[in-house]
Amino acid sequence: MSDLLSHDDNRHKTQETDVVAQMRLLINTLKKHNHAYYVLDNPTIDDEQYDALRQRLLALETQFPDLKQADSPTDQVGDKPLAAFTQITHDIAMLSLGNVFSFEELSAFIKRINDRLDTKNQNPEFEMELKLDGLAVSLKYVHGQLYQAVTRGDGRVGEDITHNVRSIHNLPQVLPECAGIGLLEVRGEVLMPKAGFDRLNRENGERGEKTFANPRNAAAGSLRQLNPAVAAARPLAFFGYSVNQGLPNHVETQSDSLEYLRSLGFEVAPFGTSSTPQGVQEFYDDVAKTRASLPFEIDGVVVKVNSLSLQNDLGFLSREPRWATAYKFAAESAITRLLAVEWQVGRTGQLTPVGKLEPVSVGGVTVSNVTLHNFGEIERLGLMVGDVVSVHRAGDVIPKVTAVMLDLRDNAVSPIDLPKTCPVCASAVILPEGEALARCTGGLYCAAQSKEALVHFVSRRAMDIDGLGEQWLIKFFEMQLVRTVADIYELAEHQDLLMTLEGLGEKSVKNMLAAIERSKNTTLPRFIFALGIRGVGESTALNLAQHFTDFEAIRRATIDDFLAVPDVGEITARNIYEFFHSTHNNEVIDRLLASGLMWQATTASMSDTPLDGQTWVVTGTLSAMGRDEAKAHLQALGAKVSGSVSSKTSALLAGEKAGSKLEKALVLNVTIISEDEFLQLLAQNGRMVSTE
Ligand code: IVH
């Protein structure tokens, strides 16, 4: 991360002025987000993105301690309290916790403790708790009565939120056993359980009211309500984690103080103890496994020296205790820089942008490539090469760019352009209007799409070369014997080589070549279908063949000509047109034709449109085809297809389990055609129906 803000070595900014400029930029950005978060309760980036920015500043401050800015927010806990609430100075400052992220860092934390402890106190027992993801609150009970509740605020001064915590259902208002204790201060976390958060957001969403980014923000927003009735309606909960004043003398450890809190009626989250780093690690691992199934959110484990007297001996650093640390789960977000975008071509021709990142650790894994999905996503994010981005990776989910840090954008960024030609085969790239996915038009030629195109070409419903199995085809592709479908018809030239391949004897090669030869005698619809044009299935191939009757006419046709073909819409018309206007595809097609492919001239059926002027309805389940296909055939024969039976209906095509439409047709005396009769009708009109 140390060169996060530099593009490359040439621009490596090690000069003091540059470091200070980076620090100032980060400080100002953090301050803006602090204010939005702590004072306005309206964060504009998520917690992890914020943490990543803060980590970046901390890294610079560690690397260049002399340049640390006096107003750095890394020294502060939170932000100034909101003026509308009464401000209360804490009797004892409410501090923060240091962080560790790995077993090594945990061991270093434990070593630092051992280094400060006497020989007799080495390897003290540790107590481990859940790090609850809510807000720290201090509660004061006077003679057992809840007297005051205060937020952490900036650690020194917080806000009086007594009116709002009184309605938290699991927070005891009276502690009968503490009637004799003048002042008892309990600290803990107010949070919103996941189920309550989901419900609140759903209900607020339905009412068109504000929804919250996460349970923590929802809890914070609820505690900051000036109207206690609003807070009372929010599903909050309190978990105690320490007694800071008034603890009975017999309680000597952190774990006992949690038991004590429990005995008083406070809810306390699960905890454990261990004297070894391995034991602490085991607790952490167990918690990490159950994290997702917990009813509330946590972001790690808090590790505390169990003995309260040792805690006292160890004392505090400026903003955190020496005797405790947060062993946090790997951040699922990090910020880094987008260095470049490369375009990958998928097997069906779609172009996928892949972001090349300055390597960054996210969720415990180093990420240097990230899919940007499609051009639409780049536009949605407003992303440019050189931008500082937030990358998210949760669990095993693939990493994702979730946001662009516009605050950190400098003028060295450059726009991400969709390539005009395919990076693999240089054919034209098209991005149909309103679509997010760009595609290479060189379907027959493009190496990225070749395997898919080859397998489709030989398949049974296309050229039907049954003697050339998929495995051999792929093998020939990998041997570079077959790169495009036209090469299939030149395989005979490599006969001798083929016979030397293991598993391919003379006989099988002969059979294979004979099957290839046989396939040359085909039909125009099969050939069109075999070309694998996007959106052109068998039924459309048939419609094209019957509409144009001549292959050369199809090659010359305009988009408007294609739109006149039944079943062909704007997108398919464009796809077909682009396909036949790719120079590369045409090279392959010319070679195919030159190799001797032939088909009977397609006579447009006896009458082109024998069902002209008729209106048909299709109902029930057909066994030979889907209803859409049947509809396309009918339309190709000139019929209109309607969704409901009326006295104007010419015929009802009724498949299995036909229901009310069949009844209505019987009542109205409409001609009823069975599937068999329909197939005969199609056959009579030269329409091919596959029999798979
Ligand atoms: S003890 C002096 N225990 O973490 C240390 N804190 O980053 C006092 N937190 O402000 C904190 N779960 O809001 C402690 N089991 C736990 C905790 C916990 C969550 C929060 C708390 C605190 C922050 C420090």
Side-chain angles (χ1 to χ4, degrees):
M1 284 286 276
S2 68
D3 52 352
L4 171 68
L5 297 178
S6 67
H7 276 247
D8 51 45
D9 287 342
N10 294 339
R11 293 191 56 222
H12 207 95
K13 298 175 178 176
T14 45
Q15 286 174 341
E16 289 193 359
T17 47
D18 287 336
V19 173
V20 170
Q22 287 183 38
M23 285 180 166
R24 294 290 349 144
L25 190 58
L26 286 161
I27 288 171
N28 293 338
T29 309
L30 284 168
K31 279 188 173 173
K32 195 178 81 186
H33 292 307
N34 274 349
H35 187 75
Y37 183 97
Y38 288 106
V39 179
L40 307 178
D41 265 339
N42 191 17
T44 44
I45 54 172
D46 70 36
D47 292 358
E48 289 199 341
Q49 290 169 5
Y50 175 88
D51 275 351
L53 288 171
R54 190 169 170 278
Q55 288 298 334
R56 169 67 197 150
L57 180 58
L58 264 178
L60 282 177
E61 288 172 353
T62 315
Q63 206 183 341
F64 305 100
D66 298 346
L67 301 180
K68 182 166 170 178
Q69 305 289 293
D71 62 340
S72 170
T74 58
D75 285 336
Q76 274 177 301
V77 182
D79 200 84
K80 293 269 172 291
L82 203 65
F85 291 90
T86 308
Q87 306 202 356
I88 310 280
T89 303
H90 297 295
D91 295 346
I92 305 165
M94 288 186 82
L95 296 184
S96 183
L97 285 169
N99 289 328
V100 297
F101 284 93
S102 63
F103 183 70
E104 287 67 40
E105 289 176 15
L106 170 75
S107 307
F109 160 77
I110 295 176
K111 181 172 183 304
R112 282 199 300 278
I113 287 177
N114 276 328
D115 288 349
R116 289 189 79 89
L117 290 176
D118 300 342
T119 18
K120 66 176 186 349
N121 289 320
Q122 289 295 296
N123 300 317
E125 184 177 51
F126 288 97
E127 184 267 355
M128 295 81 70
E129 302 171 14
L130 306 186
K131 186 164 190 307
L132 306 162
D133 202 4
L135 290 101
V137 169
S138 150
L139 306 173
K140 280 183 177 166
Y141 290 83
V142 174
H143 292 293
Q145 302 279 339
L146 176 62
Y147 157 77
Q148 194 175 56
V150 183
T151 63
R152 183 169 75 164
D154 65 3
R156 199 181 62 82
V157 178
E159 296 156 4
D160 184 343
I161 49 155
T162 317
H163 59 294
N164 284 341
V165 304
R166 287 199 187 278
S167 58
I168 297 179
H169 74 285
N170 74 340
L171 188 153
Q173 306 272 322
V174 184
L175 307 173
E177 289 166 51
C178 299
I181 302 177
L183 174 66
L184 179 84
E185 184 187 357
V186 174
R187 291 183 183 176
E189 203 83 349
V190 170
L191 53 79
M192 189 176 288
K194 291 173 191 169
F197 167 75
D198 291 341
R199 196 176 58 238
L200 175 69
N201 259 3
R202 194 176 55 244
E203 288 170 0
N204 277 12
E206 280 163 10
R207 283 196 297 262
E209 290 170 15
K210 174 178 171 169
T211 56
F212 297 93
N214 55 48
R216 186 175 198 268
N217 289 341
S222 306
L223 284 184
R224 286 235 168 112
Q225 291 293 328
L226 288 170
N227 177 0
V230 177
R234 299 281 173 83
L236 298 174
F238 177 83
F239 286 80
Y241 54 64
S242 66
V243 181
N244 295 64
Q245 300 190 70
L247 185 68
N249 283 336
H250 65 84
V251 181
E252 292 179 350
T253 61
Q254 168 65 12
S255 46
D256 284 350
S257 42
L258 294 183
E259 295 293 3
Y260 175 66
L261 282 174
R262 243 179 215 164
S263 75
L264 295 181
F266 287 96
E267 192 153 350
V268 170
F271 60 94
T273 56
S274 169
S275 297
T276 64
Q278 290 74 16
V280 175
Q281 180 67 35
E282 259 170 48
F283 183 88
Y284 172 91
D285 291 340
D286 288 348
V287 170
K289 276 189 216 124
T290 55
R291 180 182 186 185
S293 56
L294 286 172
F296 44 74
E297 292 206 336
I298 60 170
D299 56 352
V301 160
V302 183
V303 183
K304 301 176 180 174
V305 168
N306 202 18
S307 154
L308 299 181
S309 81
L310 285 186
Q311 285 186 4
N312 197 44
D313 293 350
L314 287 161
F316 293 85
L317 291 160
S318 71
R319 66 191 290 273
E320 63 204 43
R322 286 201 187 87
W323 45 266
T325 195
Y327 188 177
K328 299 233 309 200
F329 297 131
E332 291 176 334
S333 290
I335 58 167
T336 187
R337 189 181 287 282
L338 176 70
L339 301 174
V341 171
E342 281 176 9
W343 293 83
Q344 280 180 0
V345 188
R347 61 191 174 83
T348 57
Q350 77 279 18
L351 262 69
T352 306
V354 177
K356 299 278 153 185
L357 302 173
E358 196 167 279
V360 65
S361 171
V362 200
V365 164
T366 302
V367 176
S368 41
N369 291 318
V370 66
T371 174
L372 299 167
H373 301 289
N374 53 52
F375 195 65
E377 175 78 354
I378 291 175
E379 289 186 321
R380 192 184 67 75
L381 288 166
L383 187 60
M384 297 176 93
V385 169
D387 266 333
V388 176
V389 294
S390 176
V391 179
H392 188 80
R393 179 186 173 279
D396 290 334
V397 179
I398 56 161
K400 189 175 165 56
V401 170
T402 47
V404 176
M405 301 280 160
L406 290 175
D407 297 322
L408 300 181
R409 179 176 275 177
D410 59 28
N411 49 20
V413 292
S414 56
I416 301 169
D417 296 321
L418 180 68
K420 291 199 170 41
T421 54
C422 171
V424 174
C425 76
S427 298
V429 164
I430 54 162
L431 177 63
E433 215 175 285
E435 289 202 15
L437 273 185
R439 296 188 174 277
C440 161
T441 54
L444 276 188
Y445 175 83
C446 181
Q449 303 170 65
S450 295
K451 279 191 199 171
E452 188 91 348
L454 288 166
V455 171
H456 173 74
F457 188 83
V458 303
S459 65
R460 200 155 77 75
R461 300 163 124 192
M463 299 306 284
D464 191 19
I465 315 184
D466 59 350
L468 179 53
E470 183 172 332
Q471 268 151 338
W472 283 117
L473 191 57
I474 300 298
K475 169 111 181 144
F476 298 160
F477 174 79
E478 273 149 16
M479 289 171 68
Q480 311 230 355
L481 281 177
V482 173
R483 301 304 288 184
T484 75
V485 294
D487 297 328
I488 293 174
Y489 293 102
E490 285 164 21
L491 266 176
E493 292 167 20
H494 306 286
Q495 202 169 147
D496 295 343
L497 174 66
L498 296 184
M499 286 179 194
T500 64
L501 297 178
E502 206 184 311
L504 261 194
E506 190 179 335
K507 191 157 174 256
S508 32
V509 170
K510 288 239 144 58
N511 287 343
M512 189 184 273
L513 294 176
I516 293 173
E517 199 54 33
R518 264 200 314 277
S519 75
K520 286 184 179 172
N521 197 349
T522 184
T523 67
L524 181 56
R526 271 184 184 275
F527 179 62
I528 297 170
F529 176 58
L531 294 177
I533 307 166
R534 218 183 143 64
V536 179
E538 280 172 285
S539 153
T540 308
L542 203 72
N543 288 343
L544 285 166
Q546 294 203 322
H547 183 89
F548 292 99
T549 69
D550 172 30
F551 184 63
E552 290 307 319
I554 300 179
R555 291 178 86 177
R556 284 194 308 267
T558 64
I559 292 182
D560 281 344
D561 294 337
F562 289 123
L563 282 171
V565 178
D567 210 20
V568 173
E570 295 268 351
I571 293 176
T572 307
R574 205 177 164 80
N575 279 336
I576 308 172
Y577 178 83
E578 298 288 353
F579 183 91
F580 286 114
H581 280 77
S582 149
T583 322
H584 289 137
N585 288 344
N586 279 314
E587 280 166 22
V588 178
I589 291 170
D590 287 340
R591 280 180 56 210
L592 279 172
L593 297 177
S595 68
L597 291 198
M598 55 195 159
W599 46 82
Q600 306 245 304
T602 309
T603 36
S605 48
M606 289 160 253
S607 141
D608 237 5
T609 47
L611 305 183
D612 236 357
Q614 297 191 13
T615 304
W616 282 57
V617 176
V618 183
T619 190
T621 314
L622 302 173
S623 56
M625 68 188 81
R627 273 212 289 256
D628 283 344
E629 202 182 326
K631 197 171 143 188
H633 282 299
L634 287 167
Q635 285 167 338
L637 294 176
K640 275 202 203 111
V641 179
S642 156
S644 58
V645 175
S646 74
S647 56
K648 298 214 177 85
T649 307
S650 322
L652 174 77
L653 166 56
E656 286 288 304
K657 297 208 184 96
S660 59
K661 285 181 190 157
L662 179 60
E663 279 171 30
K664 197 161 178 197
L666 287 167
V667 172
L668 294 175
N669 216 3
V670 167
T671 309
I672 294 161
I673 304 283
S674 70
E675 182 172 358
D676 280 350
E677 288 169 314
F678 176 61
L679 292 175
Q680 269 176 29
L681 175 80
L682 295 184
Q684 281 159 14
N685 286 284
R687 298 195 65 85
M688 181 186 75
V689 177
S690 62
T691 47
E692 199 170 54

